[in-house]
Each structure stands twice: as C-alpha cells, then as structure tokens.
Amino acid sequence: MTSRMPAIILLGPPGAGKGTQAKKLEDRFGLVQLSTGDLLRDAVARQSDAGKAAQAVMEAGELVGDDIVIAILNERISAPDCLAGVILDGFPRTTLQAEALDALLRERGDRVDCAISLEVDDEAMIDRISGRYTCDRCGEGYHERYKRPLKDGACDKCGCQKFRRRADDNADTVRRRLVAYHAETADLVEHYDEMGVLAHVDAMQDIDSVQGLLRDLVQPLVTEALGTREAMDVSA
Ligand code: ADP
Ligand code: AMP
C-alpha cells in the first residue's frame, strides 16, 4: 500500500546539507521539513522543560535523550499540515528513534517511503559547517563561500540585515558531533537498507546539482502518494 503521507528521511553527517536540501524540497513539493535540531533550538529559546534539559547537551555536541526528541517529533508530526508529507532532517539519529518512527508511522497506516543518505567526506563537512550562517529573522541558510546572499549583507528571502551563527558550530563541538554521528547514526543506513527504502546521493556536488538528484528521487514518491490520496477522496 502507498503512504497517504509521504515520509522522506535525509540522512547524513552534520554539515552534509540536509537542512539546505530539505528547505528546497519543501518549496518545490509542498512537503513539511521536520528538523529536530530546529525544534530543539526553538525549545531552548523558549526555555521549555525540554529546552532546559537539552541545552547543555546540545552545547556539548552530544545527542539529546531519545525520550525528549521522540516526544518533540511526535507532537510536531501529528500537526495537520504534515499530512502534505514530511522531510525529516536530523531525525532519526539512533536505532531507538528509528524504531519509534517506524511504529509511529505504522499506527497511522504510513511508513518511511525513502531514506536518502547524503554522502560527503569529513573535510567537506567541516568546511561547510565552519562557513555556515543563517538569517536572524527567517532562518534562511547561507555559507561564506558556497551560498552568499545575492545582495551583500541582506537576506534573499526577507531582506533582514542581521545574521547569526550557531553556538555549536565551533571546532571542538563539531568534532564531538562527528563522533556522535559515527557512533550512533551512521548505522541507520543499514536499518533503511534492510527495509528496502535506502538511496545514496553524492552530496559533494554543488547545492543545485544535489537538489536535482534529490528531486528525481522525491518526485515519483509525491506523485504516487497524490494518486493514492485522490483515489481515497473519490471512494470516500
Ligand atoms: P546540515 O543540515 O546537514 O547540518 P546545512 O544544510 O546546514 O547542513 O549545510 C551546511 C552548510 O553548507 C550551509 O552553510 C550550506 O549553505 C552549505 N552547503 C550545503 N550544501 C552544500 C553543497 N552541496 N555545497 C557547498 N555548500 C553546501
Ligand atoms: P542539528 O541541527 O541536526 O545539527 O542538531 C543540533 C543538535 O541538536 C545536535 O548536535 C544534538 O545535540 C541535537 N539533536 C538534533 N536532533 C537530534 C536527534 N534526533 N537526537 C538527538 N539529538 C538531536
């Protein structure tokens, strides 16, 4: 059976380009980007209970506890806008999270349609993270060399002239995030391979070329899910 809600996962180390590509897929296909990193940063900014518990762990470049992250993801994915389909970026990061996601989707009659592994080498990852910054107002992402605003000093999307860097994008923390990735997350590729939904993408290419490869993978999934949805509407 085809999923009613397409669910696509972007896997890859910090700095691979998951957020950049997820936003573009969101714009192109009307899917909803679900970044647990963004959700956690928002929780920290609001100083919610989850945010308070996560803050020091994130600053240290370690993984936030599964219970906290799964609860945050569960709440967000249950919102009505996600019925359009979701692109998960930064989740799951552990086997327990992957199993929780499988169970959560199964309960709704959905499943993971595709897990796309963005492949970059460690050097590129560090280079990408060290030049990363975002618009302070709308969160649009930039890079000092690879993605500069069209007009110097102003965000392409909202015109804001204030930008910021993430507190955890420093050399020490990046090293620890990379260790956490290899220890906890890299094995998930096998989990999705066994499920028969894994795809690999060479993410060493420039942003638009990677986006082209991803669109080729995502387009048929969205078309298929829309077809199923229309069929359900007709028979309802
Ligand atoms: P992730 O979400 O995987 O941590 P981001 O999407 O935030 O990674 O990308 C990290 C940085 O690298 C950003 O500054 C982004 O502009 C830049 N970037 C993303 N993809 C590419 C690419 N294919 N080539 C060069 N730079 C890229
Ligand atoms: P990201 O924005 O994906 O680079 O995540 C930033 C930080 O948030 C990570 O280094 C972790 O501390 C935390 N985080 C984000 N997603 C998860 C997750 N799925 N599981 C555990 N920790 C996470």
Side-chain angles (χ1 to χ4, degrees), residues 8 15 31 44 70 80 98 137 169 186 234:
I8 292 147
L31 303 170
V44 170
I70 291 167
R137 189 193 293 155
D169 278 353
V234 169

Side-chain angles (χ1 to χ4, degrees), residues 12-22 33 89 93 118 120 124-125 127-134 141-147 166 169 177 203-208 210:
K18 301 180 298 295
T20 304
Q21 298 298 340
Q33 176 199 13
D89 141 24
R93 262 175 156 100
L118 297 183
V120 288
M125 179 218 110
D127 185 39
R128 287 182 189 180
I129 288 188
S130 55
R132 165 162 71 185
Y133 61 99
T134 54
Y142 294 96
H143 191 279
E144 281 166 6
R145 287 188 307 287
Y146 308 126
K147 190 189 163 202
R166 277 170 48 173
D169 278 353
R177 284 157 64 199
M204 290 298 287
Q205 305 179 47
D206 64 41
I207 292 175
D208 288 342
V210 176

Side-chain angles (χ1 to χ4, degrees), residues 49-147:
D49 288 346
K52 282 183 197 154
Q55 185 163 12
V57 182
M58 291 172 76
E59 279 166 8
E62 286 161 14
L63 290 187
V64 174
D66 286 328
D67 289 357
I68 293 178
V69 183
I70 291 167
I72 283 187
L73 190 274
N74 194 0
E75 188 186 342
R76 180 64 188 93
I77 206 172
S78 304
D81 61 331
C82 290
L83 284 175
V86 293
I87 311 171
L88 293 152
D89 141 24
F91 183 97
R93 262 175 156 100
T94 64
T95 305
L96 213 136
Q97 290 178 20
E99 288 168 355
L101 177 66
D102 293 341
L104 204 147
L105 292 173
R106 205 178 312 119
E107 266 172 33
R108 314 161 45 122
D110 285 317
R111 61 177 162 79
V112 171
D113 289 278
C114 190
I116 306 172
S117 170
L118 297 183
E119 296 179 350
V120 288
D121 57 40
D122 286 2
E123 227 169 274
M125 179 218 110
I126 288 164
D127 185 39
R128 287 182 189 180
I129 288 188
S130 55
R132 165 162 71 185
Y133 61 99
T134 54
C135 169
D136 192 48
R137 189 193 293 155
C138 74
E140 178 69 3
Y142 294 96
H143 191 279
E144 281 166 6
R145 287 188 307 287
Y146 308 126
K147 190 189 163 202

Side-chain angles (χ1 to χ4, degrees), residues 1-5 109-111 113 221 224-226 228 232:
M1 201 184 81
T2 316
S3 295
R4 205 164 47 83
M5 175 188 81
D110 285 317
R111 61 177 162 79
D113 289 278
L221 300 172
E224 205 183 327
L226 280 179
T228 309
M232 288 170 94

Side-chain angles (χ1 to χ4, degrees), residues 112-205:
V112 171
D113 289 278
C114 190
I116 306 172
S117 170
L118 297 183
E119 296 179 350
V120 288
D121 57 40
D122 286 2
E123 227 169 274
M125 179 218 110
I126 288 164
D127 185 39
R128 287 182 189 180
I129 288 188
S130 55
R132 165 162 71 185
Y133 61 99
T134 54
C135 169
D136 192 48
R137 189 193 293 155
C138 74
E140 178 69 3
Y142 294 96
H143 191 279
E144 281 166 6
R145 287 188 307 287
Y146 308 126
K147 190 189 163 202
R148 298 181 59 85
L150 297 173
K151 187 172 159 251
D152 241 1
C155 173
D156 297 343
K157 285 245 158 119
C158 74
C160 175
Q161 299 188 353
K162 206 169 150 212
F163 298 90
R164 64 183 139 112
R165 284 182 188 273
R166 277 170 48 173
D168 59 348
D169 278 353
N170 61 72
D172 250 17
T173 312
V174 169
R175 255 192 302 278
R176 261 175 276 153
R177 284 157 64 199
L178 191 56
V179 169
Y181 174 77
H182 287 300
E184 306 262 11
T185 312
D187 285 350
L188 290 184
V189 165
E190 230 167 87
H191 176 84
Y192 292 108
D193 198 13
E194 279 164 15
M195 281 171 65
V197 295
L198 181 69
H200 298 270
V201 160
D202 172 12
M204 290 298 287
Q205 305 179 47

